[in-house]
Amino acid sequence: MPTPHLETVKMDELDCWRIRHNGAEVLVAQQGAHVFSYQPAAAKPVIWPNDKAVFKQGKGIRTGVPVCWPWFGVFERNPQSVKAMRQSDQPAGAHGFARTANWTLVGVEDNRVELALIAPAGGFPGWPHQVDLKMSLLLDDQLHIHLTSHNRGTDTVTISQALHSYFAVSDVRKVQVEGLDGLDYIDTADGWVTRQQAGPLHFRAETDRIYLDTPAQLNIIDKDWQRQIQLTSEGSKSTVIWNPWTERAKAFDDMADDGWQGMLCIETANVLDDVVMLAPGASHTMGVSITSLPL
């Protein structure tokens, strides 16, 4: 199998790589090991092409697949076991620090590219644990993303995490997500109450939900574009689904006021009761395979 073509590119302040393989193209930033574009051969973009995205050092990129690690979302909403891992009096930014850290390209072999974030001696600032991260990107007829956490320390470490994926859709008001019927979810946009999904998920308002005990496969059905985006996860039992809708989108300086219409986040995750406990020497891999198929 041929080695993918790897090209260094610059996006404003960030060093990035363009990876091409069999007509498909992926763009990934060194900061955060952040995939921000996936274009299959002769098909529409799968990743939402946010033309307002900001590529600045130390700032998260609002598109693609941000790596949320070692906590997810607002720090105080994480389980106590996750919060106990942090040792700092400074405010904790949302989604952890991995998404704004500079990763290292460690391997290009066949159709796989690997990046790493190695814990320094004493751990990361405010998070003193010896846990290394590896991001593996595999391109074939799908895009396979795998995030592996390896505990090199002597104490058990608890993390929450997510691959915060932004997908391109024709109009979020016209698409649906299949594979959630009958699942319990926590509606974080409505007081964190627990509800049960009935049938496919449609979008009529701001949506911010944590689905529990989710199956390995979910599908975004987009009839206007006559395609489905199929997501197959591993190492994850929770899924976050988000769209900011009208008012929330207006509050973001890195999203057009109507940008919410063309995007949908479905996040492969380990959150709430689905946190990961890493014993000394243990590893855990969370991943998602993404493919675009005709309806």
Side-chain angles (χ1 to χ4, degrees):
M1 189 172 291
T3 299
H5 175 71
L6 187 69
E7 176 188 2
T8 300
V9 295
K10 192 87 170 182
M11 296 292 291
D12 196 2
E13 295 181 2
L14 302 186
D15 293 324
C16 306
W17 297 285
R18 177 181 285 113
I19 306 159
R20 294 190 177 101
H21 182 71
N22 287 345
E25 179 182 279
V26 168
L27 287 163
V28 56
Q30 180 180 16
Q31 178 174 281
H34 188 135
V35 173
F36 61 91
S37 176
Y38 171 40
Q39 176 81 53
K44 292 182 181 296
V46 172
I47 296 297
W48 174 50
N50 179 13
D51 59 6
K52 298 289 187 180
V54 176
F55 294 84
K56 299 290 186 183
Q57 293 181 9
K59 182 174 175 60
I61 307 168
R62 192 179 297 283
T63 191
V65 189
V67 176
C68 305
W69 188 96
W71 60 84
F72 173 78
V74 176
F75 179 73
E76 292 302 325
R77 284 288 189 178
N78 283 262
Q80 182 57 38
S81 58
V82 173
K83 293 191 289 185
M85 297 292 100
R86 188 170 185 267
Q87 298 179 21
S88 175
D89 295 329
Q90 299 300 311
H95 294 315
F97 51 81
R99 66 185 181 136
T100 54
N102 275 330
W103 295 51
T104 302
L105 182 66
V106 295
V108 180
E109 182 178 356
D110 293 334
N111 54 339
R112 185 188 305 273
V113 175
E114 294 186 347
L115 301 98
L117 181 63
I118 306 300
F124 298 96
W127 202 81
H129 309 288
Q130 297 297 126
V131 180
D132 297 337
L133 286 178
K134 182 177 73 174
M135 172 67 78
S136 174
L137 306 175
L138 174 65
L139 266 175
D140 47 29
D141 57 342
Q142 305 180 58
L143 172 61
H144 309 270
I145 304 174
H146 291 94
L147 179 68
T148 299
S149 304
H150 174 62
N151 185 4
R152 291 190 290 110
T154 57
D155 298 319
T156 297
V157 177
T158 305
I159 62 172
S160 62
Q161 58 182 348
L163 297 171
H164 193 310
S165 309
Y166 290 75
F167 295 105
V169 295
S170 60
D171 186 328
V172 72
R173 295 165 294 187
K174 298 180 180 180
V175 305
Q176 65 185 39
V177 179
E178 295 183 345
L180 301 167
D181 185 32
L183 298 184
D184 288 337
Y185 67 88
I186 297 170
D187 193 340
T188 70
D190 189 16
W192 287 70
V193 297
T194 300
R195 296 191 167 97
Q196 188 175 78
Q197 180 68 37
L201 172 60
H202 299 270
F203 300 89
R204 302 289 182 264
E206 179 185 348
T207 302
D208 196 352
R209 301 179 178 183
I210 302 172
Y211 283 83
L212 310 174
D213 296 318
T214 47
Q217 185 173 308
L218 299 175
N219 294 288
I220 303 171
I221 306 300
D222 192 335
K223 292 184 179 179
D224 278 12
W225 280 357
Q226 281 297 294
R227 79 169 182 188
Q228 61 176 318
I229 299 175
Q230 186 178 92
L231 311 175
T232 306
S233 65
E234 63 178 90
S236 162
K237 295 181 180 178
S238 49
T239 301
V240 181
I241 299 184
W242 178 69
N243 183 282
W245 220 249
T246 53
E247 296 307 309
R248 286 285 305 279
K250 291 177 182 177
F252 298 134
D253 59 6
D254 53 357
M255 176 188 286
D257 287 353
D258 62 353
W260 60 274
Q261 296 179 24
M263 54 77 66
L264 175 61
C265 283
I266 299 186
E267 308 168 36
T268 304
N270 295 122
V271 297
L272 299 182
D273 292 341
D274 185 33
V275 295
V276 174
M277 296 182 64
L278 287 173
S283 296
H284 176 269
T285 298
M286 176 182 69
V288 63
S289 297
I290 303 166
T291 186
S292 176
L293 300 170
L295 286 179

